[in-house]
Amino acid sequence: MLKVDLPIQKNPLKSREDLIEAVKQIVHPLKPFYSKDRARLEIGNTGASYSDDIAGLEGFSRVLWGLVPLLAGGESSEVWELCLKGIKNGTDPAHEEYWGNITDFDQRAVEMAAYGYALALVPEKVWDPLTDEEKANFFAWLNQINRISVYDCNWLFFPILVNLGFKAVGLPYDRENVNKNLDRLDEFYLEEGWYADGLDAHCDYYVPFAIHFYSLLYAKLMDKDDPKRAEKYRNRAATFAKDFIYWFSKDGSALPYGRSLAYRFSQSAFWSALVYAGVEPFSLGEIKGLILRNLRWWFNQPIFDSNGLLTIGYCYPNLVMAENYNASGSPYWALKTFLFLALPKEHPFWQAEEKPLPTLKEKIVQKSPRFIVCRQEERGHTVAFNAGYKHTNEHPHVGAKYEKFAYSNLFGFSVQKADWGLSQGAFDSMLAISECDNLFRGKKTCVDFSVSEHVIYTNWKPFADVDIKTWLVAGAPWHIRIHCIETNRAIDYADGGFALGLENKEHQGQKAEVILNKQESLAKLPWGSSGIVSIYGQGQPDLVYANANTNLINPRTVIPTVKGSLKPGTHWLVNAVFGEPGSENEVSQWDLVPHVDITHDEMIITLGTQTVVIQKEAVTS
């Protein structure tokens, strides 16, 4: 992998000065890529679902998520004058770089939010320097958002932010539209601080880095004008934080799950917004440590190119996992995390000593995202076991991003590269089914599900006449999968374990230690081990070497897998799945295979100190 030596990678990210410098180290490499009249950022040659001109506006706008709090905190940036010139030209309908008239569901509505943010936080920098004509142009271009429709999800906040910006500088603003959108967003609220990103939508990172982030901005900016709603948003965010903290591990990494993962370190934007809005569900030192560890973890990954520009991908540049709406400038949305720079120098956040995570439970049920989260705290491994959803959407790889059995901060997850065979499918943490034609499909939705203290149940149908009931007995490093498959056709199956990266920059030239026999397959490297044991069902263990760039964390992986063929009828499969980080000081638990007693009527699973019973007759009757 290409080695890039950049200032941001050497930044210790400890002091306020370090973090001010970090924004500049991310943003200043963009200077050569501004268009002639500065209204667009022209980076990269890949495409998105919108035009190159709109992609140029997107990149230009997303830089503001980092620059605005920098300026609000009393600092300066040599890029700001370029931005101000771009705003003047981009909103001038007579200029060749005019950003244009927008229509319903327009990507430009997304980017308008950054200008409402700027008007609200730094009016003296973005509004006061404009002439009367430039102010009229700016207002007219932004005000288009009050006359169009936006998607019925977190997008409802974009008109709200624009109108908050208008209010901040004394412009007419659409309070009716603001209230209508806020009322609609309340309909997405579930429980325990959780929202869905729309009605019958997923619970993913759009809850923290979009809905809660914008709610907390609203709470801060509208505390006096709308105190009741502001208090509600602060309370919901504080409650949500007590669940969301379980998605983060002690090394700063977080669970990769859901869509828009190319926004990377926006994972910790929620925590910055909490501090900005004055909400402290944990100590300032604990929140500060969480944010800074997450940033350090990210800046230790190869996410920048040799020019210092952010790339599309997750832990490395990767278009295979990208969304259709990911243009070259999209990843700069991650700059939202730097909202804490808007805090004044004397704010207690800057004096707080960075602290580790608070003591967390080894296992917790999170009902809204349908998770059981298990933590191996000492090893820094976090796994979310997942029931999935009855609904889906048209975003790329939605099955891989929302329907895997497990999501891990260490192993990540993989997306399908093509449809021929298991290597192209990269079916980690998934049972894949084919019609004996080598064209496999995994779980896309579920028919039914339940989440209890130790077990996730999900009923799903890869084909109309193939019904699968799956129980996941949650645990780490071992978990158990039980599948009851009722099929009217002959099928092949493959039950994939965790995808283990084959290379590690800290251990060059290492080869995997492999165990492969009739019952088990294991791949072991200094940085981790992944294995699977066939307990019941006559499956054959194997090691599947996935196509390159299918996994979000590691470009090359191996997936321990149990494979088999089934005739029409009812079949039971039981597999034990193993995944743990490498450690020089800890003894591997590979030899501690969970115990499963199987009788005609039931299965009794002993996993650590817990015992789970599955009644077979009740399932098939």
Side-chain angles (χ1 to χ4, degrees), residues 126-144:
V126 70
W127 183 251
D128 294 350
L130 303 182
T131 66
D132 289 345
E133 182 181 4
E134 289 164 348
K135 288 177 178 177
N137 288 340
F138 196 12
F139 173 70
W141 185 76
L142 282 175
N143 197 39
Q144 294 179 91

Side-chain angles (χ1 to χ4, degrees), residues 67 71 116 178-179 200 246 303 408 454 513-514 517 559 597 609:
L67 288 180
L71 299 175
V178 168
N179 286 332
D200 295 325
Y246 279 84
I303 61 176
S408 159
H454 301 297
E513 176 187 335
V514 167
N517 55 47
I559 305 172
D597 285 325
T609 59

